[in-house]
Each structure stands twice: as C-alpha cells, then as structure tokens.
Amino acid sequence: AVLDTEILVNYYFEEIFKISHGSYNEEKIADFVEAFAKEKDLDIMGSLNNIVIYKEASQGYEKHETLMLEAHMDMVNEK
C-alpha cells in the first residue's frame, strides 16, 4: 500500500507540537525522537539530548554515498 505522506507528516508535526521543547528544555523532545527511532528499529547513539540515528541504505543503494541530515530539536518560544 502507498502511504499518504501528507497524513504522515501532519501526524508527526502534531505530535511534536504537543511537546514543550524550548531552548535548554530538549529532554522531552529528545525522548520522543529516541522512542521513534527505537519503534522503527533504527540504531541510536547519543548523550545529553544529542541524538544520532543510523539507517542502513535501502536495497540497491548500499554503494551510494552516505547522506547525513542535521537539525536542532529546540524551538524558539515567543510571547
């Protein structure tokens, strides 16, 4: 079955939006990301709320260059 990616993206956006994750308060969002990775059976490495998630290449792409994505988990809170 083909996944409706818009529904999937919206689901995770809403789940992340529910978690308070302002600067210097990243523990809950880090826990969420770690739980997501474990649920997907992905390898995790990290400490102090800095997480690296590893995913093996898809079949047929094993010889391609490695891709790394980086992002901040904190959010700037405005009043």
PDB file of all heavy atoms in Angstrom, residues 36-66:
ATOM      1  N   PHE A  36      10.876   7.147  18.755  1.00  0.00           N
ATOM      2  CA  PHE A  36      10.555   6.979  17.333  1.00  0.00           C
ATOM      3  C   PHE A  36      11.582   6.064  16.675  1.00  0.00           C
ATOM      4  O   PHE A  36      11.232   5.130  15.955  1.00  0.00           O
ATOM      5  CB  PHE A  36      10.522   8.340  16.631  1.00  0.00           C
ATOM      6  CG  PHE A  36      10.430   8.247  15.139  1.00  0.00           C
ATOM      7  CD1 PHE A  36       9.205   8.141  14.519  1.00  0.00           C
ATOM      8  CD2 PHE A  36      11.573   8.275  14.352  1.00  0.00           C
ATOM      9  CE1 PHE A  36       9.112   8.049  13.131  1.00  0.00           C
ATOM     10  CE2 PHE A  36      11.496   8.182  12.973  1.00  0.00           C
ATOM     11  CZ  PHE A  36      10.266   8.070  12.359  1.00  0.00           C
ATOM     12  N   ALA A  37      12.858   6.334  16.925  1.00  0.00           N
ATOM     13  CA  ALA A  37      13.924   5.534  16.317  1.00  0.00           C
ATOM     14  C   ALA A  37      13.850   4.081  16.779  1.00  0.00           C
ATOM     15  O   ALA A  37      13.995   3.161  15.971  1.00  0.00           O
ATOM     16  CB  ALA A  37      15.288   6.136  16.649  1.00  0.00           C
ATOM     17  N   LYS A  38      13.608   3.881  18.056  1.00  0.00           N
ATOM     18  CA  LYS A  38      13.512   2.511  18.583  1.00  0.00           C
ATOM     19  C   LYS A  38      12.311   1.790  17.977  1.00  0.00           C
ATOM     20  O   LYS A  38      12.397   0.611  17.636  1.00  0.00           O
ATOM     21  CB  LYS A  38      13.412   2.535  20.102  1.00  0.00           C
ATOM     22  CG  LYS A  38      14.726   2.875  20.771  1.00  0.00           C
ATOM     23  CD  LYS A  38      14.586   2.901  22.283  1.00  0.00           C
ATOM     24  CE  LYS A  38      15.927   3.228  22.933  1.00  0.00           C
ATOM     25  NZ  LYS A  38      15.819   3.316  24.385  1.00  0.00           N
ATOM     26  N   GLU A  39      11.187   2.501  17.840  1.00  0.00           N
ATOM     27  CA  GLU A  39       9.979   1.924  17.237  1.00  0.00           C
ATOM     28  C   GLU A  39      10.240   1.465  15.805  1.00  0.00           C
ATOM     29  O   GLU A  39       9.696   0.467  15.341  1.00  0.00           O
ATOM     30  CB  GLU A  39       8.859   2.965  17.271  1.00  0.00           C
ATOM     31  CG  GLU A  39       7.580   2.541  16.615  1.00  0.00           C
ATOM     32  CD  GLU A  39       6.574   3.687  16.595  1.00  0.00           C
ATOM     33  OE1 GLU A  39       6.260   4.234  17.667  1.00  0.00           O
ATOM     34  OE2 GLU A  39       6.120   4.047  15.492  1.00  0.00           O
ATOM     35  N   LYS A  40      11.087   2.206  15.095  1.00  0.00           N
ATOM     36  CA  LYS A  40      11.424   1.886  13.704  1.00  0.00           C
ATOM     37  C   LYS A  40      12.628   0.957  13.603  1.00  0.00           C
ATOM     38  O   LYS A  40      13.112   0.678  12.516  1.00  0.00           O
ATOM     39  CB  LYS A  40      11.706   3.168  12.905  1.00  0.00           C
ATOM     40  CG  LYS A  40      10.599   4.198  12.945  1.00  0.00           C
ATOM     41  CD  LYS A  40       9.358   3.687  12.267  1.00  0.00           C
ATOM     42  CE  LYS A  40       8.277   4.764  12.279  1.00  0.00           C
ATOM     43  NZ  LYS A  40       6.976   4.249  11.947  1.00  0.00           N
ATOM     44  N   ASP A  41      13.127   0.488  14.757  1.00  0.00           N
ATOM     45  CA  ASP A  41      14.271  -0.422  14.834  1.00  0.00           C
ATOM     46  C   ASP A  41      15.514   0.180  14.180  1.00  0.00           C
ATOM     47  O   ASP A  41      16.251  -0.487  13.450  1.00  0.00           O
ATOM     48  CB  ASP A  41      13.937  -1.785  14.208  1.00  0.00           C
ATOM     49  CG  ASP A  41      14.855  -2.890  14.689  1.00  0.00           C
ATOM     50  OD1 ASP A  41      15.371  -2.790  15.823  1.00  0.00           O
ATOM     51  OD2 ASP A  41      15.076  -3.842  13.922  1.00  0.00           O
ATOM     52  N   LEU A  42      15.748   1.463  14.442  1.00  0.00           N
ATOM     53  CA  LEU A  42      16.925   2.161  13.934  1.00  0.00           C
ATOM     54  C   LEU A  42      17.986   2.232  15.019  1.00  0.00           C
ATOM     55  O   LEU A  42      17.671   2.241  16.207  1.00  0.00           O
ATOM     56  CB  LEU A  42      16.543   3.588  13.491  1.00  0.00           C
ATOM     57  CG  LEU A  42      15.486   3.676  12.407  1.00  0.00           C
ATOM     58  CD1 LEU A  42      15.041   5.120  12.214  1.00  0.00           C
ATOM     59  CD2 LEU A  42      15.997   3.093  11.102  1.00  0.00           C
ATOM     60  N   ASP A  43      19.245   2.265  14.633  1.00  0.00           N
ATOM     61  CA  ASP A  43      20.342   2.362  15.588  1.00  0.00           C
ATOM     62  C   ASP A  43      20.458   3.796  16.092  1.00  0.00           C
ATOM     63  O   ASP A  43      20.341   4.756  15.316  1.00  0.00           O
ATOM     64  CB  ASP A  43      21.657   1.934  14.939  1.00  0.00           C
ATOM     65  CG  ASP A  43      21.666   0.458  14.564  1.00  0.00           C
ATOM     66  OD1 ASP A  43      21.060  -0.336  15.314  1.00  0.00           O
ATOM     67  OD2 ASP A  43      22.270   0.112  13.541  1.00  0.00           O
ATOM     68  N   ILE A  44      20.717   3.928  17.382  1.00  0.00           N
ATOM     69  CA  ILE A  44      20.779   5.241  18.025  1.00  0.00           C
ATOM     70  C   ILE A  44      22.088   5.365  18.787  1.00  0.00           C
ATOM     71  O   ILE A  44      22.548   4.419  19.417  1.00  0.00           O
ATOM     72  CB  ILE A  44      19.630   5.418  19.032  1.00  0.00           C
ATOM     73  CG1 ILE A  44      18.296   5.075  18.409  1.00  0.00           C
ATOM     74  CG2 ILE A  44      19.621   6.820  19.604  1.00  0.00           C
ATOM     75  CD1 ILE A  44      17.213   4.849  19.444  1.00  0.00           C
ATOM     76  N   MET A  45      22.660   6.565  18.756  1.00  0.00           N
ATOM     77  CA  MET A  45      23.816   6.867  19.572  1.00  0.00           C
ATOM     78  C   MET A  45      23.623   8.293  20.078  1.00  0.00           C
ATOM     79  O   MET A  45      23.082   9.142  19.372  1.00  0.00           O
ATOM     80  CB  MET A  45      25.093   6.785  18.730  1.00  0.00           C
ATOM     81  CG  MET A  45      26.358   7.040  19.530  1.00  0.00           C
ATOM     82  SD  MET A  45      27.828   6.895  18.499  1.00  0.00           S
ATOM     83  CE  MET A  45      27.825   8.498  17.724  1.00  0.00           C
ATOM     84  N   GLY A  46      24.019   8.574  21.292  1.00  0.00           N
ATOM     85  CA  GLY A  46      23.921   9.940  21.758  1.00  0.00           C
ATOM     86  C   GLY A  46      24.014  10.066  23.255  1.00  0.00           C
ATOM     87  O   GLY A  46      23.978   9.089  23.997  1.00  0.00           O
ATOM     88  N   SER A  47      24.130  11.321  23.684  1.00  0.00           N
ATOM     89  CA  SER A  47      24.146  11.655  25.098  1.00  0.00           C
ATOM     90  C   SER A  47      23.754  13.115  25.243  1.00  0.00           C
ATOM     91  O   SER A  47      23.821  13.888  24.287  1.00  0.00           O
ATOM     92  CB  SER A  47      25.527  11.404  25.697  1.00  0.00           C
ATOM     93  OG  SER A  47      26.487  12.243  25.084  1.00  0.00           O
ATOM     94  N   LEU A  48      23.322  13.480  26.435  1.00  0.00           N
ATOM     95  CA  LEU A  48      22.951  14.865  26.740  1.00  0.00           C
ATOM     96  C   LEU A  48      21.964  15.439  25.721  1.00  0.00           C
ATOM     97  O   LEU A  48      22.089  16.565  25.271  1.00  0.00           O
ATOM     98  CB  LEU A  48      24.188  15.754  26.830  1.00  0.00           C
ATOM     99  CG  LEU A  48      25.209  15.370  27.901  1.00  0.00           C
ATOM    100  CD1 LEU A  48      26.449  16.228  27.777  1.00  0.00           C
ATOM    101  CD2 LEU A  48      24.599  15.485  29.290  1.00  0.00           C
ATOM    102  N   ASN A  49      20.972  14.643  25.357  1.00  0.00           N
ATOM    103  CA  ASN A  49      19.915  15.044  24.419  1.00  0.00           C
ATOM    104  C   ASN A  49      20.418  15.311  23.002  1.00  0.00           C
ATOM    105  O   ASN A  49      19.725  15.913  22.196  1.00  0.00           O
ATOM    106  CB  ASN A  49      19.134  16.248  24.935  1.00  0.00           C
ATOM    107  CG  ASN A  49      18.462  15.962  26.256  1.00  0.00           C
ATOM    108  OD1 ASN A  49      18.085  14.828  26.540  1.00  0.00           O
ATOM    109  ND2 ASN A  49      18.309  16.975  27.083  1.00  0.00           N
ATOM    110  N   ASN A  50      21.632  14.890  22.693  1.00  0.00           N
ATOM    111  CA  ASN A  50      22.151  14.932  21.326  1.00  0.00           C
ATOM    112  C   ASN A  50      22.047  13.521  20.778  1.00  0.00           C
ATOM    113  O   ASN A  50      22.658  12.599  21.317  1.00  0.00           O
ATOM    114  CB  ASN A  50      23.607  15.409  21.293  1.00  0.00           C
ATOM    115  CG  ASN A  50      23.717  16.856  21.683  1.00  0.00           C
ATOM    116  OD1 ASN A  50      23.065  17.702  21.097  1.00  0.00           O
ATOM    117  ND2 ASN A  50      24.534  17.133  22.681  1.00  0.00           N
ATOM    118  N   ILE A  51      21.278  13.345  19.733  1.00  0.00           N
ATOM    119  CA  ILE A  51      20.972  12.012  19.234  1.00  0.00           C
ATOM    120  C   ILE A  51      21.425  11.880  17.780  1.00  0.00           C
ATOM    121  O   ILE A  51      21.197  12.776  16.966  1.00  0.00           O
ATOM    122  CB  ILE A  51      19.458  11.739  19.317  1.00  0.00           C
ATOM    123  CG1 ILE A  51      18.982  11.821  20.761  1.00  0.00           C
ATOM    124  CG2 ILE A  51      19.118  10.379  18.721  1.00  0.00           C
ATOM    125  CD1 ILE A  51      17.475  11.784  20.889  1.00  0.00           C
ATOM    126  N   VAL A  52      22.039  10.745  17.481  1.00  0.00           N
ATOM    127  CA  VAL A  52      22.374  10.393  16.115  1.00  0.00           C
ATOM    128  C   VAL A  52      21.628   9.106  15.806  1.00  0.00           C
ATOM    129  O   VAL A  52      21.709   8.140  16.562  1.00  0.00           O
ATOM    130  CB  VAL A  52      23.896  10.182  15.928  1.00  0.00           C
ATOM    131  CG1 VAL A  52      24.205   9.751  14.499  1.00  0.00           C
ATOM    132  CG2 VAL A  52      24.658  11.448  16.295  1.00  0.00           C
ATOM    133  N   ILE A  53      20.871   9.100  14.720  1.00  0.00           N
ATOM    134  CA  ILE A  53      20.113   7.922  14.309  1.00  0.00           C
ATOM    135  C   ILE A  53      20.707   7.416  13.006  1.00  0.00           C
ATOM    136  O   ILE A  53      20.908   8.180  12.068  1.00  0.00           O
ATOM    137  CB  ILE A  53      18.623   8.265  14.108  1.00  0.00           C
ATOM    138  CG1 ILE A  53      18.015   8.796  15.404  1.00  0.00           C
ATOM    139  CG2 ILE A  53      17.855   7.041  13.606  1.00  0.00           C
ATOM    140  CD1 ILE A  53      16.610   9.336  15.243  1.00  0.00           C
ATOM    141  N   TYR A  54      20.985   6.124  12.965  1.00  0.00           N
ATOM    142  CA  TYR A  54      21.551   5.496  11.776  1.00  0.00           C
ATOM    143  C   TYR A  54      20.506   4.632  11.097  1.00  0.00           C
ATOM    144  O   TYR A  54      19.771   3.907  11.753  1.00  0.00           O
ATOM    145  CB  TYR A  54      22.735   4.592  12.153  1.00  0.00           C
ATOM    146  CG  TYR A  54      23.888   5.333  12.756  1.00  0.00           C
ATOM    147  CD1 TYR A  54      23.994   5.475  14.136  1.00  0.00           C
ATOM    148  CD2 TYR A  54      24.873   5.880  11.955  1.00  0.00           C
ATOM    149  CE1 TYR A  54      25.058   6.159  14.695  1.00  0.00           C
ATOM    150  CE2 TYR A  54      25.941   6.561  12.512  1.00  0.00           C
ATOM    151  CZ  TYR A  54      26.028   6.701  13.888  1.00  0.00           C
ATOM    152  OH  TYR A  54      27.079   7.371  14.443  1.00  0.00           O
ATOM    153  N   LYS A  55      20.443   4.718   9.779  1.00  0.00           N
ATOM    154  CA  LYS A  55      19.573   3.854   8.998  1.00  0.00           C
ATOM    155  C   LYS A  55      20.405   3.265   7.866  1.00  0.00           C
ATOM    156  O   LYS A  55      21.072   3.996   7.140  1.00  0.00           O
ATOM    157  CB  LYS A  55      18.387   4.617   8.419  1.00  0.00           C
ATOM    158  CG  LYS A  55      17.458   3.714   7.611  1.00  0.00           C
ATOM    159  CD  LYS A  55      16.359   4.491   6.949  1.00  0.00           C
ATOM    160  CE  LYS A  55      15.430   3.612   6.155  1.00  0.00           C
ATOM    161  NZ  LYS A  55      16.079   2.755   5.159  1.00  0.00           N
ATOM    162  N   GLU A  56      20.371   1.958   7.743  1.00  0.00           N
ATOM    163  CA  GLU A  56      21.091   1.301   6.661  1.00  0.00           C
ATOM    164  C   GLU A  56      20.505   1.732   5.313  1.00  0.00           C
ATOM    165  O   GLU A  56      19.337   2.103   5.221  1.00  0.00           O
ATOM    166  CB  GLU A  56      20.985  -0.222   6.800  1.00  0.00           C
ATOM    167  CG  GLU A  56      21.679  -0.779   8.034  1.00  0.00           C
ATOM    168  CD  GLU A  56      23.185  -0.620   7.976  1.00  0.00           C
ATOM    169  OE1 GLU A  56      23.770  -0.732   6.874  1.00  0.00           O
ATOM    170  OE2 GLU A  56      23.772  -0.355   9.039  1.00  0.00           O
ATOM    171  N   ALA A  57      21.312   1.657   4.282  1.00  0.00           N
ATOM    172  CA  ALA A  57      20.868   2.017   2.936  1.00  0.00           C
ATOM    173  C   ALA A  57      19.754   1.077   2.471  1.00  0.00           C
ATOM    174  O   ALA A  57      19.729  -0.102   2.836  1.00  0.00           O
ATOM    175  CB  ALA A  57      22.037   1.959   1.966  1.00  0.00           C
ATOM    176  N   SER A  58      18.862   1.608   1.675  1.00  0.00           N
ATOM    177  CA  SER A  58      17.829   0.774   1.057  1.00  0.00           C
ATOM    178  C   SER A  58      18.479  -0.167   0.055  1.00  0.00           C
ATOM    179  O   SER A  58      19.555   0.127  -0.496  1.00  0.00           O
ATOM    180  CB  SER A  58      16.801   1.651   0.336  1.00  0.00           C
ATOM    181  OG  SER A  58      16.158   2.503   1.245  1.00  0.00           O
ATOM    182  N   GLN A  59      17.813  -1.280  -0.188  1.00  0.00           N
ATOM    183  CA  GLN A  59      18.339  -2.270  -1.126  1.00  0.00           C
ATOM    184  C   GLN A  59      18.617  -1.619  -2.477  1.00  0.00           C
ATOM    185  O   GLN A  59      17.793  -0.885  -3.017  1.00  0.00           O
ATOM    186  CB  GLN A  59      17.356  -3.424  -1.284  1.00  0.00           C
ATOM    187  CG  GLN A  59      17.911  -4.561  -2.102  1.00  0.00           C
ATOM    188  CD  GLN A  59      16.970  -5.760  -2.135  1.00  0.00           C
ATOM    189  OE1 GLN A  59      15.896  -5.747  -1.553  1.00  0.00           O
ATOM    190  NE2 GLN A  59      17.386  -6.785  -2.838  1.00  0.00           N
ATOM    191  N   GLY A  60      19.810  -1.858  -2.983  1.00  0.00           N
ATOM    192  CA  GLY A  60      20.218  -1.296  -4.268  1.00  0.00           C
ATOM    193  C   GLY A  60      20.998   0.008  -4.132  1.00  0.00           C
ATOM    194  O   GLY A  60      21.576   0.496  -5.094  1.00  0.00           O
ATOM    195  N   TYR A  61      21.021   0.584  -2.927  1.00  0.00           N
ATOM    196  CA  TYR A  61      21.714   1.853  -2.702  1.00  0.00           C
ATOM    197  C   TYR A  61      22.911   1.705  -1.754  1.00  0.00           C
ATOM    198  O   TYR A  61      23.485   2.697  -1.313  1.00  0.00           O
ATOM    199  CB  TYR A  61      20.745   2.900  -2.141  1.00  0.00           C
ATOM    200  CG  TYR A  61      19.730   3.350  -3.148  1.00  0.00           C
ATOM    201  CD1 TYR A  61      18.532   2.662  -3.315  1.00  0.00           C
ATOM    202  CD2 TYR A  61      19.970   4.456  -3.960  1.00  0.00           C
ATOM    203  CE1 TYR A  61      17.599   3.059  -4.254  1.00  0.00           C
ATOM    204  CE2 TYR A  61      19.048   4.862  -4.903  1.00  0.00           C
ATOM    205  CZ  TYR A  61      17.864   4.160  -5.043  1.00  0.00           C
ATOM    206  OH  TYR A  61      16.936   4.557  -5.981  1.00  0.00           O
ATOM    207  N   GLU A  62      23.290   0.481  -1.461  1.00  0.00           N
ATOM    208  CA  GLU A  62      24.350   0.235  -0.497  1.00  0.00           C
ATOM    209  C   GLU A  62      25.683   0.877  -0.875  1.00  0.00           C
ATOM    210  O   GLU A  62      26.467   1.244  -0.013  1.00  0.00           O
ATOM    211  CB  GLU A  62      24.561  -1.277  -0.295  1.00  0.00           C
ATOM    212  CG  GLU A  62      23.366  -2.016   0.242  1.00  0.00           C
ATOM    213  CD  GLU A  62      22.407  -2.517  -0.847  1.00  0.00           C
ATOM    214  OE1 GLU A  62      22.593  -2.175  -2.041  1.00  0.00           O
ATOM    215  OE2 GLU A  62      21.468  -3.227  -0.498  1.00  0.00           O
ATOM    216  N   LYS A  63      25.956   1.027  -2.153  1.00  0.00           N
ATOM    217  CA  LYS A  63      27.248   1.560  -2.618  1.00  0.00           C
ATOM    218  C   LYS A  63      27.224   3.081  -2.819  1.00  0.00           C
ATOM    219  O   LYS A  63      28.240   3.681  -3.148  1.00  0.00           O
ATOM    220  CB  LYS A  63      27.645   0.888  -3.934  1.00  0.00           C
ATOM    221  CG  LYS A  63      27.735  -0.620  -3.843  1.00  0.00           C
ATOM    222  CD  LYS A  63      29.134  -1.065  -3.623  1.00  0.00           C
ATOM    223  CE  LYS A  63      29.169  -2.579  -3.739  1.00  0.00           C
ATOM    224  NZ  LYS A  63      30.006  -3.190  -2.773  1.00  0.00           N
ATOM    225  N   HIS A  64      26.075   3.706  -2.635  1.00  0.00           N
ATOM    226  CA  HIS A  64      25.981   5.160  -2.792  1.00  0.00           C
ATOM    227  C   HIS A  64      26.598   5.871  -1.591  1.00  0.00           C
ATOM    228  O   HIS A  64      26.775   5.293  -0.526  1.00  0.00           O
ATOM    229  CB  HIS A  64      24.521   5.579  -2.954  1.00  0.00           C
ATOM    230  CG  HIS A  64      23.958   5.262  -4.298  1.00  0.00           C
ATOM    231  ND1 HIS A  64      23.697   3.987  -4.710  1.00  0.00           N
ATOM    232  CD2 HIS A  64      23.609   6.077  -5.334  1.00  0.00           C
ATOM    233  CE1 HIS A  64      23.207   4.003  -5.941  1.00  0.00           C
ATOM    234  NE2 HIS A  64      23.156   5.266  -6.343  1.00  0.00           N
ATOM    235  N   GLU A  65      26.890   7.161  -1.777  1.00  0.00           N
ATOM    236  CA  GLU A  65      27.464   7.947  -0.693  1.00  0.00           C
ATOM    237  C   GLU A  65      26.479   8.055   0.466  1.00  0.00           C
ATOM    238  O   GLU A  65      25.265   8.039   0.284  1.00  0.00           O
ATOM    239  CB  GLU A  65      27.825   9.349  -1.185  1.00  0.00           C
ATOM    240  CG  GLU A  65      28.977   9.364  -2.165  1.00  0.00           C
ATOM    241  CD  GLU A  65      29.396  10.778  -2.522  1.00  0.00           C
ATOM    242  OE1 GLU A  65      29.348  11.657  -1.638  1.00  0.00           O
ATOM    243  OE2 GLU A  65      29.759  10.981  -3.685  1.00  0.00           O
ATOM    244  N   THR A  66      27.026   8.209   1.661  1.00  0.00           N
ATOM    245  CA  THR A  66      26.227   8.378   2.864  1.00  0.00           C
ATOM    246  C   THR A  66      25.584   9.762   2.867  1.00  0.00           C
ATOM    247  O   THR A  66      26.190  10.746   2.438  1.00  0.00           O
ATOM    248  CB  THR A  66      27.121   8.228   4.109  1.00  0.00           C
ATOM    249  OG1 THR A  66      27.696   6.929   4.091  1.00  0.00           O
ATOM    250  CG2 THR A  66      26.342   8.432   5.381  1.00  0.00           C
TER     251      THR A  66
END
